[in-house]
Amino acid sequence: MKRETQQAIGEAMLQQLSERINERMGLHFVPERWGDLERGLRHAARDFGFEGADAARQCAAWLLNAPLLPAQIDTLARHLTIGETYFFRDPAVFEALRRHVLPELIRVRRERGEKTLRFWSAACCTGEEPYSLAILLMQTLPDLLPDWRQWRISILGTDLNPYFLQKARSGVYTPWSFRDAARDEQDRFFTKTPAGFEIKDEIRHMVKFAALNFITDEFPSLHNGTNAQDFIFCRNVLMYFQKDQARSIVEKLMRCLVADGFLAPSASEVSAQLFAPLQTVNWPGALFYRRTNTNTPSLAMPSQIAFRKPAPRVKPTPKPAVARPTPASQPPLRAAVSETPKDDPQAWHESARRCANLGQLDEALRWCDRAIAAEKMNARHHYLRASILMEQSGTMSDSEAEQSLRRTIYLEPDFALAHFALGNMARRRGDATVAQKSWTTALDLLEEADPQTQLPESEALTAGHLAAIIKQALAELK
């Protein structure tokens, strides 16, 4: 049978399509990469229901004449993004994290009387990076932090591509993903199966995966867990954005960090101009950027530390780096609410949100309770209180959070986010029946709304986007 010759997409249409995709997804296709764009679109056209020799061109015309909804963005992301990663990629980065950053973060948290560590792998692809971090913590913390199981430790992995996230959640990898991992790590933390090597539950349960679009989604946000991070991996992704987009993303990532937090880009993305005013911290083979206050000590620079050869990855003896004062010229980047808000419950509500995004949960709770005391019938105050409590660990916090969510729904029965959050809590405690019921209720409410409607208390989440998230969650639940 003679194969049908596929018709090419014209340059004018490719130009328009690349601009639309850049605007909604941040993927920048220069003319030299239009061939990649056209190939990806040919594959996506089948998922959109277009067939025949003219399928790609018809699909492009359709995409240009309609708003890009979350489901369409997910489909395009699957075919237009490239995933290339493996466990412990760039070993020097993980070695610096193990030997210097972790001891310093723990020291600072102890001084503040805090027991939290939060990590985020932005653009995590198929999950090897956040799982590598979980393995590193499992290896390192028992010696470095004997009471580590009493700490609130979270690892978040986000990506634009839903197919990548699905693979990450499955936790099954081929030998190619282990090309820079030690054999004992593979033997200890993975189980050999007919499908490949499956990560063990003790590591899988340390990582939470979620979809995040750098262009359309809000961060930092209490809602998606991107706030108050101690360490952010954002490697091999900024290079795909235009300069103004990359600058905007870095500014948001900077606000996601707590004081003394670190941002780790790839070596090809290092830029003093792009990452200002973060402080540069350098080790052999690894360069990080750190968010500091004028009164916060910084890590020692390489000239203060004697290096010979990289320490072995298994059971090292970490030593905190010597500290020195941060340059006085650096502006403070972490601050609580600097002045008492006016006598206004909505101002107290916003103060609670700002504190929560900075990781100041006790202060956030105080402002939220103050707003509730003034406006007991305001459902949004109760929802924010539940969100803050869910950031904390322990049965008491979960119980109080659930009570606040139920008050939210009592006061505002069509509050879709509250139903969604109740489902998340039920899923976390293993109650699939309640999770399904809550998520289905939320989905029914969302499908009655315009997909572009921004949801209250979500900062940037639309009805269509949350509906897509819930559909994915329900599919995984089954």
Side-chain angles (χ1 to χ4, degrees), residues 66 168 173 181 209 265 357 426 435 444 457:
Y173 298 93
F209 292 100
N357 281 341
D444 291 342
E457 294 303 303

Side-chain angles (χ1 to χ4, degrees), residues 94-127:
F94 286 94
E95 196 59 42
L97 179 60
R98 181 197 304 270
R99 295 183 63 199
H100 306 288
V101 174
L102 275 176
E104 176 69 0
L105 288 175
I106 290 170
R107 180 189 67 77
V108 171
R109 298 297 165 267
R110 279 175 167 160
E111 288 180 355
R112 294 177 180 166
E114 300 171 356
K115 289 188 174 183
T116 61
L117 288 172
R118 293 166 65 87
F119 303 88
W120 177 18
S121 172
C124 68
C125 193
T126 46

Side-chain angles (χ1 to χ4, degrees), residues 238-239 241-251 274:
L238 295 174
M239 65 180 71
F241 294 93
Q242 292 180 310
K243 288 183 178 179
D244 57 338
Q245 291 174 324
R247 188 176 299 108
S248 175
I249 291 169
V250 169
E251 289 174 354
L274 181 61

Side-chain angles (χ1 to χ4, degrees), residues 1 17 44 53 59 187 192 214 289 299 327 332 337 357 373 404 422 445:
M1 180 181 295
L17 191 61
C59 181
D187 292 341
K192 183 73 170 68
F214 276 137
Y289 292 96
L299 289 180
V337 179
N357 281 341
S404 292
L422 272 179
L445 292 168

Side-chain angles (χ1 to χ4, degrees), residues 114 227-228 258 334 354-362:
E114 300 171 356
N227 62 301
V258 297
R334 180 180 189 261
R354 287 196 297 273
C355 287
N357 281 341
L358 289 168
Q360 302 167 359
L361 299 181
D362 291 340

Side-chain angles (χ1 to χ4, degrees), residues 19-38:
E19 291 173 357
R20 171 67 66 88
I21 289 171
N22 180 56
E23 177 186 343
R24 295 287 288 138
M25 301 171 64
L27 300 178
H28 181 47
F29 287 90
V30 295
E32 291 77 15
R33 294 190 61 221
W34 283 355
D36 297 334
L37 174 59
E38 186 167 5

